[in-house]
Amino acid sequence: MGLDPATRAVHAGERRVSGAPSAPAIHLAATYLSAGDPAELPYAYGRHGNPTWEALEAALGELEEATALVFASGQAASFALVAALTEERPRVLFPHDGYYGTRALARMLERRGVEPAVVDLTDLGAVERELARGAAAIWAETPTNPFLRVQDLGALARLARRAGARLVVDNTTATSALQRPLELGADATVTSLTKAAAGHADVVLGSISTRDAALLERLRAWRTHAGGIAGPVEAWIALRGLRTLPLRIGRQSETALALAQRLERDPRARRVHYPGLAGACLELARAQMPRGFGPLLSFEVEGGAAAAEAVVRGSRLIRPGTSFGGVESSWERRARWKGEDAPEGLIRLSVGIEDGADLARDLDMALAALG
């Protein structure tokens, strides 16, 4: 029928037979009735597979027209992907300004033979020079967290192919509802479902999507043997959230753009970071994210840490706290986390689904703390 991926995601995993439940079951089994060769059975042991995972994986796969695997967290997914990619060549190019948890993981894996190289992925010349030194993969993240910089995925994919390397994209900020990196040449995407994909700040999960069958099997083996498996209850919760992802993130993107434009005009805020604002990356962002720019923005205030903390504590609607992508707006002074390279006065704001005018008034009230 030529259905939109968002429509297919709503119906993925359904059993369209008389009497079938409208929601998938939660399968809590650790073991399954089995005899004979386990390879010939759909399920034999809980670490190898679970029907509840498969319903979520089917929906995730529909959104990217690929095959998805779910993991215990975004970090567990990232670990499996780095491990699978570096089995033959140990070097991976990481963005210089991406999620600090990815950089921390890379540093830990460096002690186990992985060779992380940090590079500005918007500088294609620098990327090409680093690839010439040999690399298994480019690990892109766009828009980046917390600076919302946009990387040219098509150009990075072409550079990776010429060098015999892979392109991986952390798609957590945009999600597959707004950006489809596999269509732009990526070999795999990794997503923290904890954020906007599940969307209700009530579950910790991650996923990887790919169209490469050989890579998929290596990832499945890493999930099974390293044990980074998803709980069935968590998978069910994430699937329920994923069904409404396009609706939620569409509204969040619209409000986030309006608030970013408002902050850009406000003298109390400076250096507003959002892909939808006029600037060098706007046309690229429009091309890669045609349905919206996502729920996440950041801005800086004068006065450093103390001023930013006063703003964060001054709101009544926007909740102080970490993570992003939930239905409730939240924000934090990002540099409060050890290891984060953000300026002391940078506030990262995750826009929820509240009324945009209410959020604008709340933001104004919080900024009044600056005088």
Side-chain angles (χ1 to χ4, degrees):
M1 294 173 62
L3 298 175
D4 186 270
T7 301
R8 296 201 301 270
V10 171
H11 295 279
E14 281 185 345
R15 291 177 58 241
R16 298 187 71 88
V17 296
S18 181
S22 58
I26 302 175
H27 294 266
L28 297 173
T31 59
Y32 301 85
L33 186 67
S34 65
D37 184 355
E40 298 178 356
L41 302 170
Y43 311 104
Y45 185 58
R47 188 159 35 82
H48 299 167
N50 182 289
T52 314
W53 300 353
E54 292 173 2
L56 173 58
E57 289 171 343
L60 289 164
E62 290 289 0
L63 283 169
E64 296 201 67
E65 297 182 281
T67 303
L69 292 177
V70 295
F71 290 79
S73 66
Q75 286 294 88
S78 295
F79 173 81
L81 192 47
V82 172
L85 290 170
T86 56
E87 289 173 1
E88 296 178 2
R89 285 191 285 176
R91 196 159 178 268
V92 179
L93 309 188
F94 289 97
H96 75 296
D97 64 340
Y99 174 49
Y100 84 99
T102 303
R103 298 197 304 271
L105 176 64
R107 287 194 296 269
M108 292 184 70
L109 291 175
E110 190 172 11
R111 305 168 197 163
R112 299 292 183 268
V114 174
E115 300 174 13
V118 177
V119 61
D120 180 356
L121 295 186
T122 64
D123 184 343
L124 297 179
V127 172
E128 192 168 21
R129 288 191 295 273
E130 288 291 343
L131 285 171
R133 298 176 58 194
I138 301 171
W139 189 286
E141 179 185 327
T142 183
T144 59
N145 169 22
F147 290 104
L148 287 305
R149 296 188 178 109
V150 178
Q151 297 155 6
D152 188 335
L153 296 180
L156 291 174
R158 290 189 291 273
L159 290 177
R161 279 197 300 272
R162 287 205 293 266
R166 303 295 193 102
L167 174 63
V168 170
V169 179
D170 184 331
N171 203 30
T172 298
T173 302
T175 79
S176 52
L178 299 181
Q179 179 172 261
R180 300 181 67 189
L182 300 181
E183 296 291 328
L184 300 172
D187 296 280
T189 62
V190 60
T191 305
S192 172
L193 303 180
T194 308
K195 312 297 194 298
H200 295 268
D202 55 5
V203 68
V204 175
L205 282 180
S207 69
I208 299 170
S209 295
T210 184
R211 298 170 182 171
D212 185 320
L215 177 59
L216 180 73
E217 289 312 304
R218 293 206 301 275
L219 291 167
R220 197 185 302 276
W222 273 103
R223 180 178 70 177
T224 296
H225 298 298
I229 62 171
V233 174
E234 288 85 347
W236 188 92
I237 292 170
L239 175 60
R240 184 174 62 173
L242 190 72
R243 304 286 201 200
T244 62
L245 170 61
L247 293 175
R248 289 185 284 104
I249 207 162
R251 180 182 176 98
Q252 289 167 306
S253 296
E254 181 181 343
T255 306
L257 176 58
L259 292 180
Q261 292 169 337
R262 187 185 187 94
L263 283 165
E264 201 172 38
R265 297 190 300 268
D266 194 318
R268 296 170 295 183
R270 61 187 181 92
R271 294 197 186 100
V272 183
H273 308 283
Y274 190 67
L277 295 177
C281 73
L282 179 57
E283 290 308 312
L284 177 59
R286 282 177 174 158
Q288 291 186 174
M289 304 167 65
R291 296 190 176 191
F293 302 109
L296 196 64
L297 64 96
S298 64
F299 63 97
E300 299 171 45
V301 297
E302 296 285 358
E309 291 286 355
V311 171
V312 167
R313 290 189 173 93
S315 67
R316 292 183 181 177
L317 283 179
I318 306 171
R319 297 179 60 190
T322 196
S323 200
F324 60 86
V327 294
E328 297 172 307
S329 295
S330 64
W331 59 4
E332 68 175 338
R333 186 179 69 85
R334 193 61 190 155
R336 71 194 182 98
W337 291 95
K338 184 178 180 181
E340 178 59 83
D341 293 334
E344 290 294 327
L346 183 135
I347 295 170
R348 189 185 69 183
L349 168 59
S350 172
V351 177
I353 62 171
E354 301 96 339
D355 178 76
D358 289 338
L359 287 175
R361 284 190 294 269
D362 194 57
L363 181 59
D364 283 340
M365 182 179 66
L367 288 169
L370 298 176

